[in-house]
């Protein structure tokens, strides 16, 4: 990795937003490939941040600080990525299921997915099954990511999966689920395609679902 | 409602813990997060509208899975019955800090998610401090009669299903829905609210137990690990 990409990489890990934007500008001015800035500088940095979180070294607010730095760099890069026709990793429709107002975990998952070059359509919290269906239909999403933090709202994940089936969309989209009271076993029972216990592993699982 | 004036002392460490972080580590590594925590306290205190709804009810009789209370009230749960088998009275509590903090959290989320999380952590710290204040008030009142109290038990704990427990507590306390209400999926609104019951009697010794002992996530929960 060259010096400027290395500087972008470490500024994101350290969450130094101003340094990130300055270095991205510098890289662009030097004529560095936008896709190299994205993949070697930014996506690689967010992967490292996710790994540190998974290991218990980084805490939730630190992930947000890093994601904020990444996003400000990404905003500068976007027009160049469009021009160079750089494709996203995949399209994800995300939300917390109906009846559930918890959003911190879902927000973190969305940020980490964006940090991994996924395009994320965030429907917010307390999302009706029909709204998930409509969004999948309209956006042609590759993945539906659902979050639930309460045992009383977890069943709405299954309801949403059923709604996708009824709309004839279940075969066109992968279903990824997560949230504190969930387990892999529960995910299997409701017929989801993937489960992840935290935001970093959510990215890895999303990637493997796209590759499958 | 409690007669005692509510006093809440919230430190930056509590706000950092409320965000799932270890204060000692994070303060050195990311000083900006400490600044945000301090700012959340400074601006957040005025947004709190803490309320405690409490009622203490006499126990009439206890079977293996039921606690019969005065006024024909009943708690039906084997785990709670076992835990509170020596209670002469039970205190039912709902507390909330109101919705202004969560409105602030939502308003800030798009423009500054990091500060938004600091306010969320402040809200979590405040509701936990309020719940602790409520427990302490019940303890002091019990002590005046030479009684002691159990640890607090909350619906949603491992052996007390959320739907059952929330229905029981809300039907007993019947809080003003403008203060706190229950959604059809048993989530309380405002979000920063907690519900619990505490046994009052002679046989409680809580040196050997903590509320977290009864949580499914006790091995992995960072909120617990950061507290130890
Ligand atoms: C802080 C907290 C609170 C705070 C506020 C929560 C908030 N943020 O506003 C307060 C103190 C107010 C609170 C209150 C209550 N809480 Co609470 N709370 C928690 C706690 C400790 C952390 C939640 C949190 O914010 N985590 C931070 C985020 C980052 O983590 P996360 O949401 O889990 O998301 C991560 C993963 O799950 C995953 N993920 C999440 N979504 C998705 C989606 C996908 C697709 C994928 C792949 C991954 C994924 O990735 C995320 C990032 O790594 C959890 C226990 C825990 N350790 O998780 C209990 C917990 C959620 N609470 C619980 C309970 C029971 C309650 C109460 C009902 C207690 C009571 N009777 O009063 C009340 C209810 C409040 C209400 N309004 O109704 C239970 C719920 C269990 C159940 N039976 O449903 C939990 C699980 C604790 C437990 N095991 O008992 N709570």
């Amino acid at each position: 990795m060259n010096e400027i990409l290395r500087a972008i990489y470490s500024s994101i890990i350290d969450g130094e937003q101003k340094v990130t934007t300055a270095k991205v500008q510098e890289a662009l001015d030097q004529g560095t490939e936008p896709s190299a800035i994205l993949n070697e500088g930014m996506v690689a940095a967010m992967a490292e941040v996710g790994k540190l979180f998974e290991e218990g070294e980084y805490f939730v607010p630190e992930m947000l600080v890093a994601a904020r730095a990444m996003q400000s760099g990404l905003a500068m890069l976007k027009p160049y990525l469009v021009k160079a026709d750089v494709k996203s990793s995949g399209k994800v429709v995300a939300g917390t299921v109906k009846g559930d107002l918890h959003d911190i975990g879902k927000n973190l998952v969305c940020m980490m997915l964006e940090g991994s070059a996924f395009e994320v359509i965030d429907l917010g919290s307390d999302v009706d099954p029909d709204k998930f269906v409509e969004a999948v239909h309209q956006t042609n999403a590759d993945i539906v990511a659902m979050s639930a933090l309460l045992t009383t709202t977890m069943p709405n994940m299954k309801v949403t999966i059923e709604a996708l089936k009824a709309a004839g969309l279940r075969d066109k989209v992968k279903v990824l689920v997560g949230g504190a009271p969930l387990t892999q076993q529960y995910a299997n029972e409701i017929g989801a395609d993937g489960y992840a216990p935290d935001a970093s592993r959510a990215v890895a699982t999303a990637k493997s679902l796209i590759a499958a | 409602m409690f007669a005692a004036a509510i006093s809440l002392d919230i430190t930056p460490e509590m706000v950092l813990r409320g965000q799932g972080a270890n204060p000692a580590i994070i303060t050195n590594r990311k000083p900006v997060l400490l600044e945000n925590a301090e700012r959340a306290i400074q601006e957040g205190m005025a947004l709190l509208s803490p309320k405690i709804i409490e009622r203490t009810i006499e126990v009439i009789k206890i079977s293996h899975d039921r606690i019969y209370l005065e006024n024909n009230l009943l708690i039906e749960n084997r785990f709670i019955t076992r835990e509170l088998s020596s209670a002469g009275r039970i205190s039912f509590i709902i507390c909330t800090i109101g919705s202004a903090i969560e409105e602030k959290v939502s308003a800030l989320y798009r423009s500054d998610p990091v500060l938004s999380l600091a306010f969320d952590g402040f809200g979590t710290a405040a509701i936990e401090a309020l719940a602790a204040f409520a427990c302490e008030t019940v303890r002091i009142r019990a002590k005046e009669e030479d009684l002691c109290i159990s640890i607090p038990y909350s619906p949603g704990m491992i052996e007390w299903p959320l739907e059952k427990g929330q229905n029981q507590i809300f039907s007993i306390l019947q809080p003003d829905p403008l203060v706190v209400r229950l959604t059809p999926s048993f989530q309380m609104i405002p979000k920063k609210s907690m519900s619990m019951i505490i046994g009052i009697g002679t046989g409680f010794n809580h040196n050997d137990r903590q509320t977290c002992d009864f949580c499914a996530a006790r091995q992995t929960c960072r909120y617990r690990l950061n507290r130890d």
Side-chain angles (χ1 to χ4, degrees):
Chain A
M1 200 190 295
N2 74 26
E3 204 181 313
I4 189 86
L5 291 179
R6 192 175 297 279
I8 293 172
Y9 176 86
S10 33
S11 72
I12 290 176
I13 292 180
D14 295 337
E16 290 168 336
Q17 188 178 19
K18 285 200 183 108
V19 180
T20 308
T21 48
K23 290 292 168 189
V24 168
Q25 190 58 57
E26 214 177 302
L28 288 168
D29 293 345
Q30 283 179 10
T32 316
E33 280 294 321
S35 63
I37 303 179
L38 178 71
N39 292 317
E40 292 170 46
M42 298 179 156
V43 174
M46 284 311 283
E48 178 63 15
V49 169
K51 189 162 146 267
L52 290 167
F53 179 70
E54 208 175 300
E55 288 166 356
E57 179 65 41
Y58 261 30
F59 302 109
V60 170
E62 281 179 300
M63 287 236 280
L64 284 189
V65 174
R68 179 174 64 179
M70 151 96 193
Q71 276 171 345
S72 59
L74 189 62
M76 293 170 64
L77 206 56
K78 250 188 189 147
Y80 296 87
L81 293 172
V82 173
K83 220 191 284 168
D85 202 23
V86 176
K87 294 265 179 301
S88 77
S89 307
K91 211 181 266 182
V92 182
V93 161
T96 307
V97 295
K98 186 167 173 57
D100 199 322
L101 299 167
H102 290 88
D103 58 6
I104 298 180
K106 182 265 302 162
N107 291 345
L108 219 54
V109 170
C110 289
M111 281 182 189
M112 289 305 287
L113 285 170
E114 275 168 352
S116 208
F118 278 90
E119 187 186 336
V120 179
I121 299 110
D122 183 354
L123 304 178
S125 56
D126 190 15
V127 179
D128 216 81
D130 291 345
K131 236 177 124 189
F132 277 110
V133 170
E134 195 187 304
V136 171
H137 189 70
Q138 278 177 357
T139 62
N140 257 328
D142 304 292
I143 296 179
V144 174
M146 289 186 268
S147 176
L149 263 281
L150 298 171
T151 45
T152 49
T153 57
M154 277 158 52
N156 287 333
M157 293 182 155
K158 181 148 198 252
V159 176
T160 307
I161 293 176
E162 296 300 326
L164 286 167
K165 271 189 201 157
L169 292 168
R170 182 64 188 92
D171 297 338
K172 299 198 176 75
V173 73
K174 301 281 185 196
V175 174
L176 175 63
V177 294
L182 266 83
T183 57
Q184 180 67 55
Q185 193 195 337
Y186 186 80
N188 296 344
E189 275 166 27
I190 62 170
D193 300 303
Y195 156 80
D198 61 46
S200 155
R201 278 170 277 196
V203 173
T205 314
K207 280 188 178 158
S208 69
L209 289 178
I210 295 267
Chain B
M1 203 77 88
F2 271 17
I6 296 170
S7 77
L8 298 178
D9 187 18
I10 295 159
T11 64
E13 288 72 27
M14 291 157 76
V15 175
L16 290 168
R17 256 186 246 117
Q19 298 172 68
N22 179 317
I25 298 174
I26 205 106
T27 303
N28 284 329
R29 203 156 61 192
K30 300 268 176 356
V32 62
L33 294 176
L34 178 66
E35 286 161 30
N36 276 354
E38 286 165 346
R39 182 169 160 198
I41 297 174
Q42 222 168 44
E43 292 178 31
M45 284 309 277
L47 299 175
L48 296 180
S49 125
K51 301 254 170 11
I52 299 170
I53 301 141
E54 193 268 350
R55 199 173 147 199
T56 299
I57 302 182
E58 293 286 331
V59 173
I60 309 281
K61 191 174 82 178
I62 301 190
S63 75
H64 77 288
D65 65 351
R66 275 155 210 234
I67 306 179
Y68 297 89
L69 302 159
E70 63 178 345
N71 301 330
N72 288 326
L73 298 169
L74 182 73
I75 302 179
E76 222 183 321
N77 178 278
R78 210 164 166 163
F79 163 71
I80 294 294
T81 307
R82 197 171 56 228
E83 289 295 312
L84 298 184
S85 58
S86 63
R89 269 179 241 158
I90 294 174
S91 169
F92 290 79
I93 298 171
I94 297 174
C95 37
T96 183
I97 58 162
S99 54
I101 293 292
E102 58 202 55
E103 282 158 16
K104 179 94 182 169
V105 169
S106 308
L108 279 171
Y109 178 66
R110 290 271 152 226
S111 61
D112 192 344
V114 179
L115 187 61
S116 167
L117 185 73
F119 274 90
D120 191 272
F122 169 75
T124 294
I127 185 63
E128 285 180 349
L130 184 64
F133 174 84
C135 292
E136 183 58 11
T137 310
V138 172
R139 191 190 67 80
I140 291 168
R141 244 170 27 190
K143 196 161 174 261
E144 283 165 6
E145 298 176 67
D146 276 336
L147 298 172
C148 47
I149 63 166
S150 72
I151 55 166
Y153 298 91
S154 285
M157 286 169 79
I158 193 161
E159 290 180 79
W160 199 16
L162 195 57
E163 53 277 32
K164 296 249 168 59
Q166 290 295 57
N167 263 341
Q168 287 170 340
I169 295 180
F170 272 72
S171 67
I172 287 173
L173 290 176
Q174 303 205 343
D176 177 349
L178 293 176
V179 175
V180 56
R181 67 187 173 86
L182 206 53
T183 67
S185 53
F186 306 95
Q187 183 159 11
M188 290 175 281
I189 295 184
K191 286 198 266 186
K192 302 290 183 195
S193 301
M194 284 182 82
S195 63
M196 59 201 169
I197 65 173
I198 304 172
I200 304 169
T202 48
F204 297 113
N205 166 14
H206 44 116
N207 295 332
D208 60 342
R209 54 211 307 138
Q210 289 181 5
T211 307
C212 290
D213 296 342
F214 302 101
C215 176
R218 65 192 169 282
Q219 304 293 357
T220 50
C221 178
R222 292 190 187 190
Y223 289 76
R224 187 176 84 87
L225 298 176
N226 290 333
R227 206 167 303 220
D228 292 345

